[in-house]
Amino acid sequence: MFKETCIQAGKRVLQEEAAAILELVPTIDEHFAHACDLLLKCQGKVILTGVGKSGHIATKVASTLASTGTQAFFVQSAEAAHGDLGMIGTKDVVIAISNSGEGSELKVMIPLLRRRHIPLIAITGNLNSTLAKSADVTLSAHVSREACPLNLAPTSSSTAELAIGDALAIALLEARGFTERDFALSHPGGALGRKLLVRCADIMHVGEEIPMCRDDVTIKEALLEMTAKSLGIVAIVDSNNTLVGVYTDGDLRRTLEKELSVHDQLSEVMTHGGISVRPQCLAADALTLMQDKKISAMIVTDEDKKVVGAFNMHDLLRAGLI
């Protein structure tokens, strides 16, 4: 009985909150476009403010804006009247979020913003409130009732506020032509950031760490170089340090199958040409190439095919790309 009651309650809340958001779709009109225009033309920062649950929503919206190309941060409404208003400049735009639009903290803050001619965008569930009437632009977050059976706990209303904030952030993202790479620059520690920012130059071994030998050496000499550098590959170069081939763990297995002597010339068993990438190649693209070619290590060359580095799957793993 308890289990079924919980399941039914959970479904009801999702259905009611989804319905509340859908009811807001018709309110996305010229007022919404005006708000976007104010934010796009903002020469300072976008300041989000609110208290209680709306304050938590404002914090999240500020974070979403900041990560999608709009400089934004949160100022707690109650603290604004006690000094934090100094954090808001005349070139900024303020977005105030409040379900009732009548919070005492906002009523103190609004006249100060008006006096300094700072644009104010309201996201509120009460279009007749002090906040709504004082704002340059008011966006509705009105809901018929809360998903709470007592119609008390902020549920549908806070979800509506969040949805409007997200709608603003994504509209601005599209208007700015914000790209995956732009997003990655704000998220260098995330998987997407690593995928779009880490290049082969960032992970490759260089200098004395590069496993490399001339094309006129013996198999034994190449094996000693491969063992010493522990990358599972050796770059074979000519007298100009130009890549002419590679010798890998796979080539070694084929050497053993042919029962050749380690004193034979490396040129008889190495892979001529070999696959290489440039230092500025994205490490994620190099990984895809390695997987397609079923190889576990890669040589890095410059535009003249001179060897400048090498890396293997372990280096990609350390970089968080695997």
Side-chain angles (χ1 to χ4, degrees), residues 211-218 221-222 225 234-238 266:
M212 184 165 54
C213 61
R214 291 281 297 277
D215 55 353
D216 57 357
V217 304
T218 64
E221 290 173 290
E225 178 71 359
V234 177
I236 313 304
V237 298
D238 61 16
L266 180 64

Side-chain angles (χ1 to χ4, degrees), residues 22-78:
L22 290 175
E23 288 177 4
L24 293 175
V25 174
T27 72
I28 305 299
D29 53 17
E30 65 274 7
H31 298 289
F32 183 84
H34 185 193
C36 290
D37 187 56
L38 281 175
L39 295 172
L40 280 171
K41 292 178 178 177
C42 177
Q43 296 180 342
K45 291 182 173 60
V46 177
I47 313 301
L48 277 293
T49 190
V51 294
K53 302 299 186 297
S54 293
H56 294 306
I57 296 300
T59 302
K60 190 275 178 188
V61 173
S63 178
T64 300
L65 286 166
S67 69
T68 53
T70 299
Q71 294 187 358
F73 64 91
F74 172 75
V75 172
Q76 222 276 355
S77 300

